[in-house]
Amino acid sequence: ETGVTQSPTHLIKTRGQQVTLRCSSQSGHNTVSWYQQALGQGPQFIFQYYREEENGRGNFPPRFSGLQFPNYSSELNVNALELDDSALYLCASTWGTGLTYEQYFGPGTRLTVT
Amino acid sequence: AQSVAQPEDQVNVAEGNPLTVKCTYSVSGNPYLFWYVQYPNRGLQFLLKYITGDNLVKGSYGFEAEFNKSQTSFHLKKPSALVSDSALYFCAVRDGRYNQGGKLIFGQGTELSVKP
């Protein structure tokens, strides 16, 4: 196991609603990243947080936002849900940089928007 | 822009035969390359990485990967496939622009099917 947990496992929401997904990463892993994996595709980077501040974002609109807390937990918030937001959302924590770089993924949250 | 490509959507192999899952990359600077495996309804599991050093990298579950700088490839290999190896495999490269190292760029994935 990677030591990264996510909740809930599955979630069904209606278009236009808001959702919060949660992640708990390993102690000492200061960077947390979120990815969206649509069906049949590779994971796409949403953003990353380092020491509780966003310091990198992929091609996702501002309605995707996040928080990172001092206890190594984090949240992904998505407002005004759209049908295309249906996907597996993966949280990953990163340890080290350069040669020691390791990224560990949680099991994901499957979001279905109807 | 940095990217990886997995040219095969699916690879079919008989159990006991060697397997290869292909990956090519395009990066500026030194490549940090990874292979992950994903089983149905599961997250990504780390298999191996290339950072520097030997071109043949050994990883988990008997997998290895060969880094080839001249061909910009990082193919995943296993000498003898198992039915339990059937899964979705992703090649990824670290985006070096992110100093805190949190971004991986993934390929589209290759579905590996190992038949008895």
Side-chain angles (χ1 to χ4, degrees):
Chain A
E1 296 302 322
T2 64
V4 181
T5 60
Q6 292 186 243
S7 63
T9 305
H10 295 89
L11 199 54
I12 300 174
K13 289 286 189 178
T14 302
R15 187 173 50 184
Q17 286 187 317
Q18 178 267 342
V19 68
T20 297
L21 310 181
R22 294 181 173 83
C23 170
S24 179
S25 56
Q26 294 190 41
S27 175
H29 290 202
N30 292 323
T31 300
V32 65
S33 306
W34 285 90
Y35 294 82
Q36 180 195 66
Q37 185 180 12
L39 199 61
Q41 297 186 20
Q44 298 291 315
F45 176 75
I46 302 174
F47 46 55
Q48 72 178 30
Y49 278 77
Y50 176 70
R51 293 184 176 176
E52 302 168 46
E53 292 191 4
E54 182 182 310
N55 76 339
R57 174 177 280 263
N59 294 325
F60 282 83
R63 59 189 186 85
F64 285 79
S65 63
L67 288 171
Q68 185 186 24
F69 303 101
N71 64 352
Y72 302 103
S73 66
S74 62
E75 292 180 354
L76 165 65
N77 299 289
V78 187
N79 294 321
L81 284 166
E82 301 177 359
L83 296 179
D84 286 347
D85 295 334
S86 295
L88 181 68
Y89 288 86
L90 298 165
C91 163
S93 69
T94 301
W95 177 81
T97 59
L99 299 182
T100 62
Y101 180 94
E102 297 275 351
Q103 190 160 99
Y104 301 91
F105 284 82
T109 293
R110 173 74 63 184
L111 173 65
T112 302
V113 182
T114 62
Chain B
Q2 304 191 88
S3 65
V4 292
Q6 295 179 242
E8 301 159 317
D9 290 336
Q10 185 159 10
V11 170
N12 298 309
V13 178
E15 187 174 31
N17 283 0
L19 70 86
T20 298
V21 182
K22 296 180 180 177
C23 172
T24 58
Y25 65 89
S26 174
V27 303
S28 55
N30 295 322
Y32 289 179
L33 297 161
F34 302 81
W35 276 101
Y36 285 83
V37 60
Q38 186 175 39
Y39 295 96
N41 300 314
R42 301 284 297 275
L44 299 174
Q45 297 180 31
F46 171 81
L47 282 178
L48 50 79
K49 66 179 179 181
Y50 173 82
I51 302 297
T52 187
D54 290 340
N55 290 340
L56 187 63
V57 180
K58 293 192 181 295
S60 306
Y61 314 118
F63 283 93
E64 58 191 25
E66 186 172 9
F67 173 73
N68 188 315
K69 187 173 183 178
S70 63
Q71 297 186 5
T72 62
S73 67
F74 188 56
H75 300 333
L76 181 70
K77 303 185 181 206
K78 189 174 183 181
S80 179
L82 300 173
V83 172
S84 58
D85 293 329
S86 298
L88 189 56
Y89 290 80
F90 289 99
C91 179
V93 63
R94 177 189 163 192
D95 189 332
R97 297 173 299 170
Y98 288 74
N99 291 331
Q100 303 311 325
K103 180 180 179 182
L104 291 175
I105 300 167
F106 287 87
Q108 287 290 95
T110 298
E111 185 79 40
L112 173 66
S113 177
V114 182
K115 299 295 186 187

